[in-house]
Amino acid sequence: MPEPSGVGRPRDVRRDAAIHEAALALLTEVGYDQLSIEAIAARAGVAKTTIYRRYRDKAALVAAAVEQRQGSAPPEPVAGGLRENLLAVVGWLAREIEEQEIGLLGALFAGMRGDARLADEMRRILRRDQAAMTDRLPGEELAPGAAELFAEVAPAVIVHRIVFAGERCDERFVRHLVDDILFPLLRKGIQS
Amino acid sequence: MPEPSGVGRPRDVRRDAAIHEAALALLTEVGYDQLSIEAIAARAGVAKTTIYRRYRDKAALVAAAVEQRQGSAPPEPVAGGLRENLLAVVGWLAREIEEQEIGLLGALFAGMRGDARLADEMRRILRRDQAAMTDRLPGEELAPGAAELFAEVAPAVIVHRIVFAGERCDERFVRHLVDDILFPLLRKGIQS
Amino acid sequence: MPEPSGVGRPRDVRRDAAIHEAALALLTEVGYDQLSIEAIAARAGVAKTTIYRRYRDKAALVAAAVEQRQGSAPPEPVAGGLRENLLAVVGWLAREIEEQEIGLLGALFAGMRGDARLADEMRRILRRDQAAMTDRLPGEELAPGAAELFAEVAPAVIVHRIVFAGERCDERFVRHLVDDILFPLLRKGIQS
Amino acid sequence: MPEPSGVGRPRDVRRDAAIHEAALALLTEVGYDQLSIEAIAARAGVAKTTIYRRYRDKAALVAAAVEQRQGSAPPEPVAGGLRENLLAVVGWLAREIEEQEIGLLGALFAGMRGDARLADEMRRILRRDQAAMTDRLPGEELAPGAAELFAEVAPAVIVHRIVFAGERCDERFVRHLVDDILFPLLRKGIQS
DNA sequence: AAATAACCGAGACGGTACGTCAAGTCTTGAG
DNA sequence: CTCAAGACTTGACGTACCGTCTCGGTTATTT
């Protein structure tokens, strides 16, 4: 993509916003592979060329749209022990993924084939929140390496449930995930 | 799909095979969303009609092809304790997923939107091996509910690693998964 | 263009007709360079691909449409001498060119660049009527080589008048062309 | 087009020249309907705006470029009779047309539809040289009205040969045109 | 000297049409 | 009824130019 070089008429940022908005809306409405540039352009009230000037293809557009979107912030550490904080963070994560990441996951799966660059981009985005997320856990109760373990297991199980089991991540599931999996794994002094 | 009713010229089973073969080959070559019925027909040396007579659309075809494909069987239980058997089963699972399920995952993600029927179909297929798989684990060392936990965690972490981390599932990772996650979770008498 | 090979569903001849009709109509309405395949398809009630299956591009389509179109037949030889027959034939030719060849001329000029094949095609079409035309002239009054001379001069002057002078070819002009140019040139025994 | 009013920064005449040059070069290279303003601007090293400030559209630009281009002057009258002068003038005319008018003709045909103003402009340009041309012919040998007849027939037959017959205008053709057509028509005392 | 007015390059923008591709349906003729 | 071949409609693709419109910056003339 030819980056805007500063000379010439500057790009209209309202168009960027409109495109992102339309893309995200349609993404959640129809899913990734039913998503068409044509429809995004129409919804955004923008010419197709205006999109193609910015993004090489659908994958790049979705990546940008998702990156720019700001999800809600991870919850502040709460009073109480590790378990309470795990419940808070996992609950937040489950909602976050459930709400809008699904379309993104489709983009990732569908697009990473034949476009390693996109795959990397996606992974970068996905990792973005992880640091902030694991910071919320109280260090003193954690086993060594627990943060990595959390990032490895928690999103995996949540995504797996949503996509492969096709079930919601309700309160009960969050408690199950914390009590039966994460808490035993992460708390200090349990490693065999 | 109009099931063949028995009268008239019978369907040529060699065509079914050729179609499946071509579909799976192209699936791993180009990925799900670059997969075209047109190309499958060409590769299989078969008319498009012959495919549409059998499957409603691309999703159904892929589902059938994946279902019919026989992966290698899960390993027999080995002498030794739970850990050895976990290593064997997880190693097999990782190879299985790594080798060819990726295209299927793309299909699942991309297709489940707007086609709940397909999603269910896919889930049914995915669950098929799980029973056989968990049967391989020695019951006497397992905590109660361990089989479900295994099915919930192991594939999730493997898929997550491949897709989101974009890393291989080598021997080292398998040991890590078993020793740091599965073994602590599943062995009898560890539940708090 | 892949010629239809006989096997498979045959092309629908009514579509050919509709396409030709729409092309000729739009050609005379808007001219060659304002002519779009898209509009032809819409007018003919036919998909764009159905046109592109038959013709490589606009030029080829116009060539075919013009070729297929049957203009009126040249007039029968009339009683009377050479001059009367010349008047009849030239009058017919002028009307023929004036009515609908103009768009074709545009196609020819615009398209022969970069497509020698089309140019040849066009020339073939243009020459088609000439033989029939010159047959109408009474041989016994003609100087040797008069038929070639007629074909060389008469269409040239008519086209030149329409296009370059931008004037109609009325009765007066036809008489002028015959009396002042063609008759002196073609009648036997005048060669110096 | 807003004519430059004298105040403000004056237009850069070198740009006019560059635009004309590029236009004519591309015109002969790719033909009229493959000619794009975008390409002309690129070739001339000039912004599109700079062209659109001067010309309403492609047709106007081509018209101006062709008008400004100076072809070679018609030959001086030579010693000898009418035939020799005809040979000289027709030879010059054939070369002139053959060399570079073809693209112009395409412009004319393609553009006169829907732009009568352009057509008139073109005709004006085409007629420009005719007066000078016919002045070269020795009046005393000419039949009355011969100049008009020459202008009517000679360019017509030349253009027709190039475009419709697709053949070169070599020495032989020039002699044929003069001896078999123009000389008999134009010389004094031959009119029946 | 400043103000004004037009020129200029660069490129965004909404459009229109291009020519291609694949989807899924339909039609023919042969088996 | 199956099958191969291929026509057909539909709809999106990504590209190319169109002609218009900002921008920032550059000359000239006019005040």
Side-chain angles (χ1 to χ4, degrees):
Chain A
M1 285 295 102
E3 291 300 304
S5 70
V7 327
R9 175 176 174 178
R11 290 191 184 157
D12 188 337
V13 284
R14 289 170 310 183
R15 258 109 191 172
D16 292 83
I19 291 168
H20 284 158
E21 202 170 327
L24 291 173
L26 285 168
L27 190 56
T28 58
E29 283 177 29
V30 303
Y32 180 77
D33 76 328
Q34 293 297 334
L35 185 65
S36 77
I37 301 268
E38 210 109 35
I40 296 173
R43 167 87 70 118
V46 143
K48 240 192 330 172
T49 40
T50 299
I51 294 181
Y52 280 111
R53 191 173 298 113
R54 291 163 163 76
Y55 310 105
R56 189 212 317 265
D57 52 20
K58 188 166 66 165
L61 164 53
V62 170
V66 170
E67 178 169 33
Q68 167 271 355
R69 161 197 73 89
Q70 59 241 41
S72 61
E76 292 300 310
V78 296
L82 175 58
R83 184 172 173 275
E84 281 68 34
N85 277 286
L86 276 175
L87 283 172
V89 171
V90 170
W92 169 82
L93 183 61
R95 278 189 304 277
E96 197 77 357
I97 292 178
E98 202 159 38
E99 277 171 15
Q100 36 189 333
E101 306 274 17
I102 297 300
L104 166 62
L105 299 181
L108 178 50
F109 275 99
M112 53 187 307
R113 286 284 164 134
D115 192 347
R117 196 194 46 73
L118 170 68
D120 290 343
E121 181 68 16
M122 287 292 193
R123 289 183 193 114
R124 201 177 57 69
I125 297 172
L126 288 170
R127 266 196 288 262
R128 197 186 45 178
D129 295 328
Q130 293 192 351
M133 206 165 60
T134 50
D135 288 349
R136 297 298 188 275
L137 301 177
E140 63 274 11
E141 284 187 64
L142 287 175
E148 290 74 19
L149 221 50
F150 178 84
E152 192 177 8
V153 174
V157 175
I158 293 172
V159 168
H160 203 256
R161 179 180 178 86
I162 294 174
V163 174
F164 294 91
E167 295 175 21
R168 301 285 329 277
C169 293
D170 53 10
E171 195 58 34
R172 225 171 70 78
F173 169 73
V174 170
R175 274 202 307 275
H176 158 65
L177 176 52
V178 167
D179 287 336
D180 299 336
I181 299 177
L182 293 173
F183 188 66
L185 280 178
L186 304 181
R187 78 159 181 272
K188 186 180 284 178
I190 203 59
Q191 242 64 3
S192 59
Chain B
M1 285 295 102
E3 291 301 306
S5 70
V7 312
R9 173 175 171 178
R11 287 188 186 161
D12 187 339
V13 283
R14 289 170 311 182
R15 256 113 194 166
D16 292 84
I19 292 168
H20 284 157
E21 202 170 328
L24 292 173
L26 285 168
L27 189 56
T28 58
E29 281 177 31
V30 303
Y32 178 76
D33 75 328
Q34 294 297 336
L35 184 66
S36 76
I37 300 268
E38 213 109 48
I40 294 173
R43 167 87 70 120
V46 143
K48 257 196 309 177
T49 328
T50 302
I51 293 181
Y52 280 109
R53 193 172 295 115
R54 289 163 163 76
Y55 310 105
R56 188 209 325 245
D57 53 20
K58 185 165 69 164
L61 165 54
V62 170
V66 170
E67 179 168 31
Q68 167 272 353
R69 160 197 74 89
Q70 54 233 46
S72 59
E76 292 300 310
V78 297
L82 174 58
R83 183 170 174 275
E84 281 67 34
N85 278 286
L86 276 175
L87 283 173
V89 170
V90 170
W92 169 81
L93 184 59
R95 278 189 303 278
E96 198 75 358
I97 293 179
E98 203 159 38
E99 276 169 17
Q100 36 188 331
E101 305 275 18
I102 299 299
L104 168 62
L105 299 180
L108 179 50
F109 274 99
M112 55 187 304
R113 286 284 163 136
D115 192 348
R117 195 193 48 74
L118 170 69
D120 291 344
E121 181 71 14
M122 288 292 193
R123 286 180 196 118
R124 200 176 57 69
I125 297 172
L126 287 169
R127 262 196 292 264
R128 195 188 46 176
D129 295 330
Q130 295 192 349
M133 205 164 62
T134 50
D135 288 348
R136 297 298 187 275
L137 300 178
E140 63 276 9
E141 285 187 61
L142 287 175
E148 289 75 18
L149 220 49
F150 178 84
E152 192 176 11
V153 174
V157 175
I158 292 172
V159 168
H160 202 256
R161 178 179 178 87
I162 293 174
V163 174
F164 294 93
E167 296 175 20
R168 301 287 328 278
C169 293
D170 54 10
E171 196 58 32
R172 228 171 69 77
F173 169 74
V174 170
R175 276 202 308 274
H176 158 67
L177 176 51
V178 168
D179 288 335
D180 300 336
I181 299 177
L182 293 174
F183 188 67
L185 280 179
L186 304 181
R187 79 161 179 271
K188 186 181 284 177
I190 204 61
Q191 242 65 5
S192 57
Chain C
M1 287 292 103
E3 292 299 307
S5 70
V7 22
R9 176 175 173 179
R11 290 191 183 155
D12 188 337
V13 284
R14 290 168 311 182
R15 259 118 189 162
D16 293 84
I19 292 169
H20 283 157
E21 203 170 327
L24 291 173
L26 286 168
L27 189 57
T28 58
E29 282 177 29
V30 303
Y32 179 76
D33 75 328
Q34 293 296 336
L35 185 65
S36 78
I37 300 268
E38 210 110 35
I40 295 172
R43 166 87 70 115
V46 143
K48 243 194 325 173
T49 37
T50 299
I51 294 181
Y52 280 109
R53 190 173 300 112
R54 291 163 162 76
Y55 310 104
R56 189 213 319 262
D57 54 18
K58 187 165 68 163
L61 164 54
V62 171
V66 170
E67 179 170 30
Q68 167 271 354
R69 160 199 72 89
Q70 56 238 43
S72 59
E76 292 299 310
V78 297
L82 175 59
R83 183 171 174 275
E84 280 67 37
N85 277 285
L86 275 174
L87 283 172
V89 170
V90 170
W92 169 82
L93 183 61
R95 277 190 305 277
E96 197 75 357
I97 293 178
E98 203 160 38
E99 276 170 16
Q100 36 188 331
E101 304 275 17
I102 297 301
L104 165 65
L105 299 181
L108 179 50
F109 274 100
M112 54 187 306
R113 286 284 161 136
D115 192 349
R117 196 191 46 73
L118 170 68
D120 290 343
E121 181 71 14
M122 288 292 193
R123 288 180 194 116
R124 202 176 56 69
I125 296 172
L126 287 169
R127 264 197 290 263
R128 197 187 45 176
D129 297 328
Q130 294 191 350
M133 206 165 60
T134 50
D135 287 349
R136 298 299 187 275
L137 300 177
E140 64 275 8
E141 284 187 64
L142 288 175
E148 289 76 18
L149 220 51
F150 177 85
E152 191 177 10
V153 175
V157 174
I158 293 172
V159 168
H160 202 256
R161 178 181 178 87
I162 294 174
V163 175
F164 293 92
E167 296 174 21
R168 303 285 327 280
C169 293
D170 53 9
E171 195 59 34
R172 226 172 68 78
F173 168 74
V174 170
R175 275 202 306 275
H176 158 66
L177 175 52
V178 167
D179 288 335
D180 298 337
I181 299 177
L182 292 173
F183 189 67
L185 279 179
L186 304 181
R187 80 159 178 273
K188 186 180 283 178
I190 202 62
Q191 242 64 4
S192 59
Chain D
M1 288 292 102
E3 290 300 306
S5 71
V7 319
R9 174 178 173 179
R11 290 188 185 157
D12 187 339
V13 284
R14 288 170 311 182
R15 259 123 191 155
D16 294 84
I19 292 169
H20 284 156
E21 203 170 328
L24 291 174
L26 285 169
L27 189 57
T28 58
E29 281 177 30
V30 303
Y32 179 75
D33 75 328
Q34 293 296 335
L35 184 65
S36 77
I37 300 267
E38 211 109 40
I40 294 173
R43 167 86 70 116
V46 142
K48 252 196 315 176
T49 329
T50 303
I51 293 181
Y52 279 109
R53 192 173 295 113
R54 290 163 162 77
Y55 309 105
R56 188 212 323 246
D57 54 17
K58 185 165 72 164
L61 164 54
V62 170
V66 170
E67 178 169 30
Q68 168 271 354
R69 161 196 74 88
Q70 56 232 45
S72 59
E76 292 299 311
V78 297
L82 174 59
R83 184 171 173 276
E84 280 68 37
N85 278 285
L86 275 174
L87 283 172
V89 170
V90 170
W92 168 82
L93 183 61
R95 278 190 303 277
E96 198 74 359
I97 292 178
E98 203 159 38
E99 277 170 15
Q100 37 187 330
E101 306 275 18
I102 297 302
L104 167 63
L105 299 181
L108 179 50
F109 275 100
M112 54 188 305
R113 286 284 164 135
D115 192 348
R117 195 193 47 73
L118 169 69
D120 290 344
E121 181 71 15
M122 288 292 192
R123 288 182 193 116
R124 200 178 55 69
I125 296 172
L126 287 169
R127 266 198 287 264
R128 195 187 47 175
D129 295 328
Q130 294 192 350
M133 205 166 60
T134 49
D135 288 349
R136 297 300 187 275
L137 300 177
E140 63 274 9
E141 285 187 62
L142 287 175
E148 290 74 19
L149 221 49
F150 178 85
E152 191 177 9
V153 174
V157 174
I158 293 172
V159 168
H160 203 257
R161 178 180 178 87
I162 294 175
V163 175
F164 293 91
E167 295 175 21
R168 303 281 331 276
C169 293
D170 54 10
E171 194 60 32
R172 226 171 70 78
F173 168 73
V174 170
R175 275 202 306 275
H176 158 65
L177 176 52
V178 168
D179 288 336
D180 299 337
I181 299 177
L182 293 173
F183 188 67
L185 281 179
L186 305 180
R187 79 161 181 271
K188 184 180 285 176
I190 204 61
Q191 244 63 4
S192 57

